[in-house]
Amino acid sequence: MSRIRSSAGVVSVHRAAGLALLALLALFVAGCGSDDDDGPASAAPPEKLQVVATTTQVADFVRAVGGDRVQVTQILRPNVDPHDYEPSPADVKAIGEADVLVANGVGLEKWLDETIASAGFEGTRVDASRGVKIRPGNGEEEEKDGDPHIWHNPLNVKIMTADIEQAFTAADPAGAAAYQANRAAYDGRLDALDADIRRQIDSLPPANRKLVTNHDAFGYYVDRYQLTFVGSIIPSFDTSAELSGRDISDLVDKIKSTGAKAVFSESSLPPNTAETIGREAGVKVVAGEDSLYGDTLGPQGSDGATYLQMEEHNTRTIVNALK
């Protein structure tokens, strides 16, 4: 009996050894098969540049230039007014961890300097307005930096994306060719947008090219495409500026005297005052889904989800209302 037990033990040992050997062979074959299927092992992908962008428009430009080489954290959400924004602890944390911080500039993000100080940011800060010719303010304290709504001229956006490309190349030299190619491709789309806006505005009779808006956000657009700016409900670059009854009555008088055909509300502002002024002046009010995108892009799926879509929507809305 002892010999039989001994033989069984030997068989068990041999079986275990055989199974272990088969397992090793299976792993080896699987490894070889993986090489055959996928080709030579490639190097790990480069770590993405960590970029924080302040506004929805700037974030869109950052994605266009950075492509898949950047990881973008966008501070402002769609349809959120940038003028009186209060950063969250998550915003402070994201800025503190960023390699590059891209801002619109021209005093739009009045909250940014204090936030950067709180975050202990040590990366590269990009003022995307560098090189843009800034429209002057009216002398009031809130307008001392000039008009911050520089993106409403596509040619200004070409300058902004060049600033972004330069910063990305400095922070990630290995991606220089990709950043340059991305910017060049986006420049082409901006040129096409500019030409299309010009074509549509030129289709309006000159006497109809009169714009009344929620606040003074469209000066660069008006200058570029030669419209007449009649006035705005909030006569300031800053939506947080106070509005008086005299301001309302003055605007109603201007609308009547100039023959302006419509009052355009904005997506990030309530339409109540625009509707009151339109009713008193006897003109249509463009609001709701047709509202202009002034200070912010819209959410995904909206007509203003990207910068290019935003300007296309604004132009189409203006032309349809002023025909």
Side-chain angles (χ1 to χ4, degrees):
M1 291 292 290
S2 61
R3 288 182 62 188
I4 293 173
R5 285 196 295 270
S6 176
S7 297
V10 171
V11 169
S12 297
V13 170
H14 281 300
R15 177 180 290 177
L19 290 173
L21 180 60
L22 286 173
L24 288 171
L25 286 171
L27 288 172
F28 176 76
V29 171
C32 291
S34 176
D35 285 346
D36 290 342
D37 293 340
D38 300 332
S42 58
E47 189 172 333
K48 291 189 176 185
L49 202 62
Q50 299 299 307
V51 183
V52 169
T54 54
T55 70
T56 53
Q57 299 87 259
V58 168
D60 198 43
F61 306 152
V62 164
R63 294 185 185 101
V65 175
D68 59 9
R69 295 188 70 90
V70 300
Q71 181 69 43
V72 184
T73 300
Q74 176 182 306
I75 298 294
L76 286 160
R77 299 294 97 193
N79 287 338
V80 172
D81 190 334
H83 294 283
D84 56 359
Y85 181 72
E86 294 185 7
S88 68
D91 297 334
V92 176
K93 183 176 183 293
I95 289 173
E97 296 173 351
D99 300 311
V100 180
L101 169 64
V102 186
N104 181 86
V106 204
L108 182 66
E109 305 98 336
K110 293 182 173 63
W111 42 268
L112 186 58
D113 287 343
E114 185 176 340
T115 307
I116 289 173
S118 299
F121 174 67
E122 296 180 351
T124 301
R125 180 175 177 176
V126 182
D127 181 343
S129 69
R130 184 171 59 91
V132 174
K133 184 178 180 181
I134 306 301
R135 298 179 69 249
N138 62 13
E140 299 293 332
E141 176 63 22
E142 66 268 18
E143 298 190 2
K144 65 181 180 180
D145 296 310
D147 186 349
H149 305 90
I150 55 178
W151 60 89
H152 283 303
N153 179 343
L155 302 189
N156 287 344
V157 177
K158 293 177 73 172
I159 297 171
M160 298 172 78
T161 54
D163 290 337
I164 293 168
E165 181 208 341
Q166 183 178 10
F168 285 179
T169 297
D172 174 28
Y179 299 136
Q180 193 280 329
N182 291 344
R183 183 181 67 82
Y186 196 62
D187 275 1
R189 300 182 72 184
L190 292 169
D191 287 335
L193 173 69
D194 179 56
D196 188 56
I197 294 173
R198 172 77 67 190
R199 177 187 61 78
Q200 292 191 61
I201 297 298
D202 285 352
S203 72
L204 289 171
N208 290 16
R209 300 175 194 174
K210 295 168 183 172
L211 201 62
V212 181
T213 59
N214 252 130
H215 80 298
D216 292 355
F218 295 90
Y220 293 95
Y221 187 97
V222 166
D223 290 349
R224 175 64 184 163
Y225 303 109
Q226 299 177 325
L227 289 93
T228 298
F229 181 63
V230 174
S232 59
I233 297 165
I234 304 172
S236 172
F237 299 147
D238 190 340
T239 56
S240 62
E242 293 185 3
L243 177 65
S244 69
R246 178 64 180 271
D247 292 329
I248 293 175
S249 62
D250 286 350
L251 182 57
V252 169
D253 290 343
K254 284 183 182 179
I255 292 170
K256 290 179 177 179
S257 65
T258 60
K261 293 180 174 293
V263 176
F264 295 90
S265 187
E266 295 173 36
S267 64
S268 59
L269 295 171
N272 309 59
T273 308
E275 289 169 349
T276 298
I277 289 173
R279 187 165 54 250
E280 292 187 13
V283 298
K284 73 180 78 173
V285 176
V286 181
E289 291 186 357
D290 291 330
S291 295
L292 301 183
Y293 293 97
D295 282 344
T296 169
L297 300 184
Q300 288 297 317
S302 71
D303 282 352
T306 69
Y307 170 74
L308 297 173
Q309 288 176 295
M310 172 183 77
E311 296 298 350
E312 289 165 356
H313 164 88
N314 287 351
T315 301
R316 184 170 60 250
T317 300
I318 289 168
V319 170
N320 287 341
L322 299 185
K323 280 181 179 177

